[in-house]
Amino acid sequence: MSMTSAFDVRTVANRYAAQLLLCCRQNPIHIKYSMARTVHAHMIASGFRPRGHILNRLIDVYCKSSNLNYARKLFDKIPELDIVARTTLVAAYSAAGNLKLAREVFSGTPLSMRDTVCYNAMITGYSHNNDGHAAVKLFGDMRRDNFRPDDFTFTSVLSAMALVADDEKQCQQMHCAVVKSGTGFVTSVLNALVSVYVKCALSPLVSPSSLMSAARRLFDDMSERDELSWTTIITGYVRINDLDAARKFLDGMTEKLGVAWNAMISGYVHHGFFHEALQMFRKMHLMGVQEDEFTYTSVISACANGGLFKLGKEMHAYILRKEAEPTPDFSLSVNNALITLYYRCGKVDEAREIFNKMPVRDIVSRNAILSGYVNAGRIEEARFFFKEIPDRSLLTWTVMISGLAQNGFGEEAMKFFNQMRLEGLEPCDYAFAGAITSCAVLGALEHGCQLHTQLICLGHDSSLSAGNALITMYARCGVVEAANCVFLTMPYVDSVSWNAMIAALAQHGQGVQAIELFEEMLKEGIQPDRITFLTVLSACSHAGLVKEGSHYFDSMCGSYGTTPGEDHYARMIDLLCRAGKFSEAKDLIESMPFEPGAPIWEALLAGCRIHGNMDLGIQAAERLFELMPQHDGTYILLSNMYAKEGRWLDVAKVRKLMRDRGIKKEPGCSWIEVENKVNVFLVDDSMHPEVQAVYKYLEQLGLEMRKLGYVPDTKFVLHDMESEHKEYALSTHSEKLAVVFGLMKLPLGATIRVFKNLRICGDCHNAFRFMSKVVKREIIVRDGKRFHHFRNGECSCGNYW
């Protein structure tokens, strides 16, 4: 080749190289890719054969424009690949999350050709894709192969190690390697090393204070610190719950680093110190520290979690004034936080208005709106919105499943759960918790047991949310022993777990055991909340433990700083009235710091019905007619009181009042699960396909029960009729039909579990005592209030119900 032609080739090559360099600087990606292909096509058409640096630059452009297929095709056609091309492709595959192909290219690179940069690309790939173990192992291979790590190597491998470090010795060994390498003065390396100590401090296998002390010494010895240095150390103290140390660091910081302030505010929010977070924000503002979307989202979260709607709304107005032209990323994160604020404070329509005006939305935005509808009980709107969500995430399905279950739509929630699995989504523990809650709502024990088995098989059995759901499911399905077994075997329990188990014992008539568990909870240092006291007072009410209930009610405010709400007063009044202590109940009502509402009068009326206190019962009913004129329960209770006293004219007046006001009594129904099918029975049922056989067997059982002393208690017939008709009316109650169907269909010795929507009647309660003795089987009935376990002629409630 002549000197002139060689010069021409270099000129052409330089021109192509310059054009490719220009391609690299272009945005968006499709323009970059289009220009690169045009240059490449021109090379081919002109007969130019690119070498080394041109080919490398072409591969680099294709990689940066996210067209890895073209990059790989070009890569495979190059006869003699150099280390630059290989490293470029390793980095590109790693950035795309395809570690398999990245490792394939890396492993195909001869050891003699590899260099530190190539190793760095592969280690960084593992680190960025959260495969800490693989990154640390490759770092070991690199040192064994006598490649010298540089500061980039250590920054990457330390970032990877922060993902997996759980032993102080590992941190110390890596620290020594950094010092020996001579990179111990590089700020990025030291930041990564501090991060390793901080992340390792979160491991349950180490002493957090020891690791944080090491991180602190390393931080103090740094000659230069940047935002990451301060943020990492402050975040470390926040995560080990040492907020005082974190605050001291922040107060001692001379630079106005917004990231460090954000970390402190976020820490306060995460640990529930919402007012402290807001004070920090005010101080940050006064000091002139730059606020950003992370600041705003943390402060809005503080307002949402603390129920500080007015402050949250003021924050919203402040952001609108200050951020005139927000970026799309800023708008998205802040608006998502605002949606959460509004829906958690009961302003779902305002949340939806923000959503509708958002220029950009994501799955977080949609899930927040869906949660708002679900939490507000607006299920129809939630269903419609759910259908409109494209690319539903696992969280989307979980929100819908849990929302349906918690709002009483158990059967529909199970359909959603099954549909989610059909669409290829593997349920997480929260989705399982929602499905298990559905079984609790339906009383579907067999289905709940199947879900429990699946939960174990998928490794979610240690989940706190699933464990809590299982306690409630077993308790509401009548198997309190299984609920207790779940509670005792859970690796970790919280206040929700304790509350669920105390409630389970209370529902099943084990009031004394519920109180013993509450005392054990106190000994464990678990602080009772308002829900805990509700469950304890319910336990006392069901068991008639007046002295104990009064003690716990008085201790709420005096010992635990929990102000009793109307629901607590209602439980206490229910306890007193059930025990016939109407004078004490009236005194308690008069001492209340607020006007008594419907729950108070309902508790009083229920107690009056039990003890036949007509005058006080009528007074309570009149107040309820004023407060809840459309509630059928008041009319039914008052009518029952009149019927029990034989005041049929007054019964007729109450029923006429119901008709005039258009109020219909909720029909009583009972159901039982047999062979994974739920069988429903109504009063005087004639629709169930086997109901005639049920009536016949019930008649046979009645003869056996009478031999043991059972006599139908006709005072529970609420209509004026002849005695023989009253006995027949009692025999057609839905709970009797469901129990007898279970006796007919379930194997000998199997427990009968029946569920009823209303309170069990006195005659049915008495009948089941005798029936359990005749058939020598346990009969469990869950009515609208509690469980009754009938064994050998006795009930778990001790006839105190």
Side-chain angles (χ1 to χ4, degrees):
M1 182 185 294
S2 67
M3 290 285 292
T4 303
S5 61
F7 177 79
D8 290 341
V9 169
R10 282 198 300 273
T11 302
V12 172
N14 288 337
R15 186 174 71 248
Y16 281 131
Q19 289 172 341
L20 290 173
L21 181 62
L22 181 63
C23 293
C24 288
R25 295 171 179 168
Q26 296 303 307
N27 277 309
I29 286 174
H30 72 273
I31 294 177
K32 183 184 297 185
Y33 169 64
S34 177
M35 288 181 64
R37 289 213 60 187
T38 301
V39 174
H40 193 184
H42 194 277
M43 289 182 195
I44 295 170
S46 67
F48 177 74
R49 293 185 178 181
R51 295 187 181 180
H53 72 290
I54 300 292
L55 291 170
N56 291 342
R57 189 158 286 177
L58 259 177
I59 291 172
D60 185 47
V61 174
Y62 283 138
C63 287
K64 286 178 178 176
S65 60
S66 301
N67 282 277
L68 291 178
N69 288 335
Y70 275 95
R72 185 58 187 261
K73 286 177 182 177
L74 184 59
F75 179 88
D76 290 338
K77 288 180 180 179
I78 298 174
E80 294 183 9
L81 290 162
D82 62 13
I83 192 60
V84 176
R86 295 173 185 273
T87 303
T88 300
L89 205 57
V90 168
Y93 278 134
S94 297
N98 196 332
L99 291 178
K100 183 180 179 182
L101 289 178
R103 184 68 199 224
E104 178 186 291
V105 175
F106 177 83
S107 298
T109 303
L111 193 64
S112 59
M113 186 182 288
R114 294 179 193 171
D115 59 10
T116 298
V117 178
C118 183
Y119 273 98
N120 288 352
M122 194 66 238
I123 292 170
T124 300
Y126 283 129
S127 177
H128 286 176
N129 287 277
N130 299 320
D131 193 345
H133 291 291
V136 173
K137 183 180 182 303
L138 185 59
F139 174 74
D141 295 341
M142 175 185 181
R143 296 183 72 188
R144 278 191 294 276
D145 292 335
N146 296 316
F147 288 92
R148 184 180 178 85
D150 58 16
D151 52 342
F152 294 105
T153 316
F154 277 108
T155 301
S156 293
V157 77
L158 286 168
S159 297
M161 192 174 179
L163 301 171
V164 297
D166 58 5
D167 186 343
E168 188 170 358
K169 189 176 180 181
Q170 294 173 322
C171 302
Q172 292 168 343
Q173 288 174 341
M174 191 60 78
H175 194 162
C176 290
V178 168
V179 173
K180 289 179 180 178
S181 72
T183 60
F185 63 90
V186 179
T187 302
S188 62
V189 175
L190 293 176
N191 283 343
L193 188 56
V194 170
S195 183
V196 170
Y197 278 114
V198 165
K199 295 285 181 65
C200 191
L202 301 176
S203 168
L205 306 176
V206 302
S207 165
S209 58
S210 174
L211 269 296
M212 282 307 301
S213 295
R216 171 67 187 269
R217 288 192 297 272
L218 187 60
F219 176 88
D220 290 340
D221 291 340
M222 290 175 68
S223 57
E224 291 185 15
R225 306 184 187 108
D226 58 13
E227 283 192 26
L228 185 58
S229 316
W230 287 97
T231 306
T232 303
I233 199 74
I234 290 171
T235 303
Y237 279 115
V238 166
R239 286 182 176 174
I240 67 166
N241 204 19
D242 191 349
L243 297 179
D244 290 337
R247 182 62 183 269
K248 286 178 183 177
F249 257 91
L250 188 72
D251 291 342
M253 190 172 62
T254 55
E255 298 92 338
K256 294 181 178 180
L257 303 178
V259 179
W261 282 81
N262 288 347
M264 191 70 238
I265 293 171
S266 176
Y268 276 133
V269 174
H270 180 73
H271 288 90
F273 297 107
F274 307 126
H275 290 285
E276 288 81 352
L278 293 171
Q279 288 172 0
M280 283 295 298
F281 171 72
R282 291 189 188 99
K283 187 175 180 181
M284 179 182 183
H285 177 72
L286 291 171
M287 291 182 64
V289 181
Q290 183 63 45
E291 303 143 358
D292 58 19
E293 63 266 36
F294 301 105
T295 319
Y296 296 137
T297 52
S298 290
V299 173
I300 294 166
S301 295
C303 296
N305 294 325
L308 306 169
F309 178 64
K310 186 178 178 182
L311 283 173
K313 200 168 182 179
E314 290 173 0
M315 192 71 206
H316 188 183
Y318 172 79
I319 295 169
L320 291 174
R321 287 195 309 271
K322 179 136 188 236
E323 306 294 337
E325 297 181 2
T327 64
D329 287 343
F330 179 98
S331 294
L332 184 62
S333 60
V334 172
N335 280 324
N336 285 347
L338 285 168
I339 289 172
T340 303
L341 165 73
Y342 279 92
Y343 91 69
R344 283 194 181 173
C345 294
K347 310 291 183 182
V348 183
D349 292 327
E350 288 88 338
R352 182 61 190 266
E353 191 176 335
I354 293 171
F355 176 85
N356 291 341
K357 291 179 179 178
M358 288 173 68
V360 180
R361 304 165 188 151
D362 62 5
I363 192 63
V364 177
S365 324
R366 294 180 173 90
N367 286 344
I369 290 293
L370 184 65
S371 298
Y373 283 134
V374 162
N375 290 353
R378 293 161 63 168
I379 298 300
E380 189 58 40
E381 289 165 285
R383 290 190 189 101
F384 181 80
F385 189 78
F386 178 85
K387 291 177 183 177
E388 299 294 313
I389 297 177
D391 302 324
R392 302 177 191 114
S393 68
L394 179 58
L395 179 59
T396 311
W397 284 95
T398 302
V399 168
M400 198 65 203
I401 292 165
S402 299
L404 288 166
Q406 289 164 8
N407 283 277
F409 298 92
E411 188 173 350
E412 189 177 355
M414 285 307 308
K415 289 179 181 177
F416 269 75
F417 182 77
N418 294 331
Q419 183 62 36
M420 177 188 73
R421 302 186 83 168
L422 287 173
E423 294 192 11
L425 285 171
E426 189 67 46
C428 63
D429 55 336
Y430 293 105
F432 268 109
I436 292 165
T437 301
S438 302
C439 295
V441 171
L442 297 169
L445 177 61
E446 292 302 320
H447 206 147
C449 290
Q450 291 172 13
L451 288 173
H452 191 176
T453 302
Q454 294 170 25
L455 196 73
I456 294 170
C457 292
L458 291 172
H460 295 316
D461 50 314
S462 61
S463 162
L464 181 61
S465 59
N468 290 341
L470 283 168
I471 293 172
T472 302
M473 185 275 292
Y474 280 120
R476 294 192 65 181
C477 288
V479 197
V480 70
E481 299 83 4
N484 193 43
C485 183
V486 171
F487 177 76
L488 293 174
T489 55
M490 286 172 67
Y492 172 75
V493 293
D494 62 1
S495 60
V496 176
S497 318
W498 287 94
N499 291 347
M501 195 62 229
I502 293 169
L505 294 170
Q507 286 177 334
H508 287 267
Q510 300 181 27
V512 174
Q513 295 90 328
I515 289 174
E516 288 174 352
L517 188 63
F518 174 64
E519 293 293 343
E520 187 180 333
M521 171 184 171
L522 297 179
K523 289 177 184 175
E524 292 287 331
I526 307 295
Q527 184 73 12
D529 56 21
R530 64 183 319 277
I531 303 298
T532 314
F533 283 108
L534 278 176
T535 59
V536 170
L537 291 173
S538 294
C540 294
S541 179
H542 289 322
L545 303 172
V546 178
K547 182 180 177 182
E548 292 82 352
S550 298
H551 165 72
Y552 291 126
F553 183 81
D554 293 338
S555 70
M556 281 183 66
C557 194
S559 302
Y560 299 102
T562 302
T563 302
E566 186 175 34
D567 45 3
H568 298 98
Y569 277 98
R571 295 285 202 285
M572 192 63 207
I573 289 163
D574 182 64
L575 169 60
L576 293 170
C577 290
R578 281 177 178 274
K581 297 182 178 295
F582 293 103
S583 177
E584 290 91 330
K586 288 176 68 177
D587 290 342
L588 184 59
I589 292 173
E590 290 171 2
S591 71
M592 286 167 49
F594 43 78
E595 283 295 313
I600 304 298
W601 297 114
E602 283 182 309
L604 187 61
L605 178 58
C608 291
R609 185 198 62 80
I610 294 170
H611 293 281
N613 190 330
M614 291 298 302
D615 293 338
L616 192 56
I618 292 170
Q619 181 185 338
E622 287 174 348
R623 294 303 305 272
L624 285 168
F625 287 149
E626 295 172 7
L627 294 167
M628 298 191 305
Q630 296 301 309
H631 180 54
D632 68 332
T634 307
Y635 300 87
I636 302 305
L637 278 175
L638 184 59
S639 176
N640 291 356
M641 287 178 67
Y642 284 135
K644 189 176 179 181
E645 296 294 321
R647 294 169 57 171
W648 301 110
L649 185 59
D650 290 320
V651 170
K653 287 179 180 178
V654 173
R655 289 182 176 165
K656 183 179 184 302
L657 185 61
M658 288 182 72
R659 287 194 301 272
D660 292 344
R661 293 181 176 180
I663 297 164
K664 293 184 178 180
K665 177 183 179 294
E666 181 185 357
C669 71
S670 302
W671 61 96
I672 182 170
E673 184 181 7
V674 176
E675 295 179 353
N676 285 327
K677 181 182 177 183
V678 176
N679 292 266
V680 180
F681 293 87
L682 303 174
V683 177
D684 197 19
D685 201 310
S686 60
M687 300 299 293
H688 193 280
E690 297 186 64
V691 74
Q692 294 306 319
V694 170
Y695 283 130
K696 187 174 180 180
Y697 186 40
L698 177 58
E699 188 177 348
Q700 294 172 11
L701 284 174
L703 295 174
E704 296 297 319
M705 289 156 57
R706 286 174 185 268
K707 292 177 183 178
L708 295 178
Y710 167 68
V711 178
D713 194 343
T714 56
K715 72 174 179 286
F716 289 100
V717 177
L718 305 176
H719 296 273
D720 190 14
M721 59 178 69
E722 296 298 325
S723 178
E724 61 270 20
H725 294 306
K726 287 186 177 184
E727 289 191 17
Y728 174 77
L730 289 172
S731 70
T732 65
H733 282 195
S734 65
E735 58 264 53
K736 282 196 181 82
L737 302 180
V739 167
V740 171
F741 181 77
L743 291 171
M744 290 170 53
K745 292 295 181 180
L746 293 173
L748 286 175
T751 300
I752 309 300
R753 292 184 176 86
V754 166
F755 305 88
K756 183 177 179 179
N757 62 331
L758 303 177
R759 192 173 181 273
I760 187 174
C761 95
D763 177 70
C764 288
H765 189 275
N766 191 38
F768 293 146
R769 288 174 52 234
F770 284 93
M771 200 178 289
S772 68
K773 198 167 187 177
V774 169
V775 299
K776 294 181 172 55
R777 293 165 78 167
E778 182 179 5
I779 299 170
I780 300 174
V781 178
R782 185 186 88 186
D783 66 10
K785 293 290 184 182
R786 62 183 297 178
F787 278 89
H788 299 269
H789 294 248
F790 300 94
R791 298 187 188 95
N792 196 30
E794 298 296 333
C795 179
S796 58
C797 72
N799 295 328
Y800 186 87
W801 57 284

